[in-house]
Amino acid sequence: MMYLEDETVIGYYLPSLGDGLIIAKTPAARLALTKLHLRKQDCLIFPQDNINLVNFLSDNGHTATSSTKRMRLGASLPLKMKNIYNRIGGNLG
């Protein structure tokens, strides 16, 4: 599912890919896609760098239940972790 603004993809949600990958650039896309995911799922797994999502969940009465470190092998990739709102899976990020 895609979130469009002026015919430009601003975010997308792939509910059947692992845990339901959500990537979004704007607060509006984040909110819409996260709400869509939470209609059928009761869990989000995302990077702690995503302060927008941490604040959104906190403001709506949700609390973190656990955390873990991200592992990698080799050089660090230039990822924009703040745009990830739900991961694919533990083995894929």
Side-chain angles (χ1 to χ4, degrees):
M1 299 180 189
M2 296 183 293
Y3 187 94
L4 303 172
E5 285 182 6
D6 298 324
E7 299 184 23
T8 301
V9 176
I10 302 300
Y12 58 90
Y13 171 43
L14 304 174
S16 61
L17 180 60
D19 293 325
L21 179 65
I22 301 171
I23 307 286
K25 290 182 179 180
T26 66
R30 176 226 358 127
L31 183 60
L33 296 171
T34 299
K35 284 182 176 180
L36 182 62
H37 174 80
L38 291 174
R39 285 185 197 154
K40 295 188 178 185
Q41 304 293 326
D42 62 356
C43 180
L44 288 167
I45 302 169
F46 59 94
Q48 67 183 9
D49 296 350
N50 189 331
I51 300 302
N52 288 330
L53 187 53
V54 170
N55 292 339
F56 167 76
L57 293 172
S58 177
D59 291 347
N60 287 281
H62 301 283
T63 58
T65 57
S66 65
S67 66
T68 188
K69 295 202 180 267
R70 182 174 184 270
M71 298 187 323
R72 65 174 169 81
L73 176 63
S76 180
L77 299 173
L79 301 174
K80 293 185 179 180
M81 301 299 259
K82 66 180 184 170
N83 292 340
I84 299 174
Y85 293 87
N86 199 42
R87 71 176 188 175
I88 296 171
N91 59 330
L92 298 172

